[in-house]
Amino acid sequence: MERRVAAMDPNIPNAGRVYDYVLGGTHNFEADRQAAEYMISLVPSTRKWVRMLRMFLHEAVLQLSEEGFDCFLDLASGLPTVEHIHQVVPHAKVIYVDNDPVVVAYGTQLLEGNPRVRYIEADIRDIDSLLRSPVIGELFGDNRKIAIGFNAVTCFLTEEEVKRIARALYEWAAPGSRMFGTFETKDPHLMTPQMQQFLDMFDRMGSPYHFLTLEQSIEWMKPWEADEPGFRPLAEWLGLQDQITEADREGVGLEFYGAILVKR
Amino acid sequence: MGSEVGMEELRKRVETRREALAARMRAALEEHAFTNRALFPPRQLAEFARQEAEAFLAFLSDGDEGVVRERGRALAQQGLSHRSVLALVQALQEVGWESANPEVELWPSLQGAIGRYTRAFLEGYMVAREESILEQQEKTRQALLRALQREGQ
């Protein structure tokens, strides 16, 4: 408990609040902002890429809602702020999941009084335990035709973890379920000192960050299949292709993809 | 403020540049698309630019600053960034200048109208932004306090 209370210290950067700051949110403190600005100093395009992640989530959730999905299970959610799912589709039932006790405790309080939203503290590496959580049945009932959020997740997992999670979710979800995800890639043959420092920073925080390739992203998510139009750069999803410059690729061929996957 | 006839003349002049105004505003918005919040979807920027051009033309017709203020407030709530707002103002001034040319004597009146429109828009925008920040600060404070209390029990 002491560790958890200490972790809520606003003088210590918290990943969820750092992310909130980069997204343009206000649920953050000076220590979070300094940490975020350090990241941005190393990889100046960070803000663009991170904001595209949230814009894609927005587009995907709206599309799935229009297709009739009203139950959303979002993995590694971060803080439920800055136009997260329940704000985009207020009528839907949403379960957020994160393994950071600070984010969950804080997020739960932000969501207090909203009967359609729950926040589960769980590590998605232990996906079977998560899927057995009584909270899922309480909110979704027997419905397993679910839209699953898998955004900016693979970069924090190993190949074996991604494959096991994807398989477990596939077996758990009903046919017709969707998974909307983002996949952060770079050219595996390219690296710069700044990008290495950026990655080292995540290592020091105990959350190693791995870029994938597009081929790995597609392969690791099987048996989920990409719905039309497949894995596409986020900028294409959003109609912002012209706004991504070569400098934004940071000398390592950065590209973030988005896909809506389906269980046949 | 100019006479009604003056405003109507200005409206007619800007009307001839309606498409250019919408296009310039669209380009300005696209350039700053990443600074907006996600509730301001990139795919709707063209439509928004068109609406913004219409809003300015409507202002030249009726001079209603209250409507403009309300528009600024609504767009702040939707997540339009201050960078986008500044880019829109610049687009408005550029197209306004082009609309007045070559009769440069029209420019002071048009500049005055653009100034009133911009001021009303910014008033509404800034009030909404301030309200939002204060509301979020209070939510943050309460959430942190309750989370600490809960964890401390």
Side-chain angles (χ1 to χ4, degrees):
Chain A
M1 186 185 72
E2 278 182 17
R3 185 183 70 81
R4 289 158 67 101
V5 174
M8 284 181 204
D9 186 344
N11 296 308
I12 299 171
N14 170 268
R17 295 194 307 255
V18 168
Y19 195 68
D20 175 80
Y21 173 72
V22 179
L23 282 172
T26 56
H27 293 276
N28 50 72
F29 301 107
E30 183 58 25
D32 308 311
R33 295 190 279 272
Q34 284 183 8
E37 289 298 343
Y38 177 64
M39 285 169 59
I40 292 166
S41 74
L42 294 173
V43 180
S45 61
T46 298
R47 196 172 260 128
K48 262 189 186 180
W49 295 107
V50 167
R51 290 190 178 198
M52 276 201 290
L53 293 174
R54 184 52 53 94
M55 288 174 176
F56 169 76
L57 177 141
H58 191 272
E59 290 262 325
V61 165
L62 279 178
Q63 181 182 320
L64 291 168
S65 176
E66 283 167 12
E67 289 176 19
F69 284 89
D70 61 358
C71 289
F72 289 82
L73 174 65
D74 188 59
L75 305 178
S77 308
L79 283 175
T81 56
V82 199
E83 289 81 64
H84 219 317
I85 298 171
H86 72 286
Q87 291 160 305
V88 180
V89 283
H91 62 280
K93 296 173 182 172
V94 182
I95 296 177
Y96 293 115
V97 180
D98 206 291
N99 67 343
D100 182 337
V102 184
V103 164
V104 177
Y106 191 56
T108 302
Q109 296 304 323
L110 288 173
L111 295 167
E112 195 176 62
N114 188 333
R116 293 178 165 272
V117 188
R118 300 282 190 282
Y119 213 131
I120 300 176
E121 182 182 334
D123 189 332
I124 60 169
R125 294 177 183 86
D126 188 3
I127 188 69
D128 296 328
S129 296
L130 167 63
L131 295 176
R132 282 196 301 270
S133 167
V135 174
I136 293 176
E138 282 168 25
L139 195 66
F140 294 166
D142 295 330
N143 183 11
R144 290 293 174 270
K145 191 175 172 187
I146 307 292
I148 301 167
F150 204 70
N151 296 281
V153 177
T154 56
C155 48
F156 292 107
L157 299 172
T158 65
E159 175 179 356
E160 187 273 332
E161 288 167 341
V162 174
K163 287 179 171 175
R164 186 163 42 79
I165 292 166
R167 166 67 67 175
L169 288 166
Y170 192 84
E171 288 170 0
W172 172 81
S177 291
R178 298 283 202 283
M179 183 185 280
F180 54 104
T182 61
F183 304 90
E184 297 71 33
T185 75
K186 76 170 193 63
D187 185 326
H189 305 297
L190 297 176
M191 181 55 77
T192 62
Q194 292 83 359
M195 183 58 75
Q196 190 58 58
Q197 274 183 277
F198 183 85
L199 296 175
D200 290 347
M201 189 186 66
F202 280 95
D203 279 348
R204 285 196 299 275
M205 290 193 297
S207 303
Y209 191 104
H210 321 279
F211 287 106
L212 276 62
T213 63
L214 175 60
E215 293 71 25
Q216 286 172 324
S217 305
I218 295 169
E219 184 62 29
W220 294 8
M221 294 309 291
K222 286 179 178 173
W224 292 90
E225 290 175 34
D227 216 351
E228 281 300 319
F231 285 69
R232 291 165 65 200
L234 295 185
E236 265 185 50
W237 272 98
L238 301 165
L240 292 173
Q241 302 94 307
D242 296 343
Q243 305 305 319
I244 299 296
T245 65
E246 200 48 43
D248 293 329
R249 303 197 186 280
E250 302 289 351
V252 296
L254 272 188
E255 184 64 278
F256 285 14
Y257 290 88
I260 296 183
L261 309 171
V262 61
K263 174 173 177 173
R264 304 287 181 199
Chain B
M1 189 166 175
S3 67
E4 275 185 36
V5 174
M7 289 284 275
E8 185 55 23
E9 278 178 16
L10 295 178
R11 192 193 66 75
K12 284 179 182 165
R13 292 305 291 262
V14 178
E15 178 74 43
T16 64
R17 303 279 300 156
R18 177 194 291 256
E19 294 304 317
L21 180 58
R24 199 76 60 88
M25 285 181 157
R26 178 181 177 172
L29 288 168
E30 284 178 349
E31 188 183 346
H32 297 281
F34 292 106
T35 65
N36 299 326
R37 293 177 63 158
L39 280 179
F40 217 91
R43 290 199 182 281
Q44 291 175 17
L45 293 181
E47 173 59 17
F48 168 73
R50 193 192 59 73
Q51 289 173 4
E52 185 55 23
E54 296 299 327
F56 179 64
L57 285 165
F59 173 74
L60 292 179
S61 290
D62 59 28
D64 190 338
E65 294 180 14
V67 170
V68 179
R69 217 171 278 121
E70 206 44 49
R71 182 167 175 77
R73 168 185 280 271
L75 291 173
Q77 289 167 344
Q78 266 181 266
L80 188 71
S81 74
H82 71 277
R83 288 182 201 280
S84 291
V85 170
L86 294 174
L88 286 173
V89 170
Q90 189 177 343
L92 192 52
Q93 286 177 331
E94 286 171 2
V95 176
W97 171 249
E98 290 163 13
S99 305
N101 269 333
E103 296 160 67
V104 290
E105 65 274 13
L106 284 177
W107 177 235
S109 299
L110 189 50
Q111 194 178 30
I114 291 172
R116 285 192 299 281
Y117 181 86
T118 302
R119 192 170 57 244
F121 186 98
L122 287 175
E123 276 173 8
Y125 181 86
M126 288 191 293
V127 165
R129 283 275 294 206
E130 192 174 338
E131 283 172 358
S132 167
I133 289 169
L134 291 175
E135 185 190 328
Q136 300 287 330
Q137 277 180 351
E138 183 58 18
K139 274 189 185 169
T140 303
R141 189 189 67 77
Q142 286 183 6
L144 187 65
L145 193 64
R146 284 199 299 263
L148 279 168
Q149 284 170 345
R150 209 183 67 172
E151 294 302 320
Q153 281 170 1

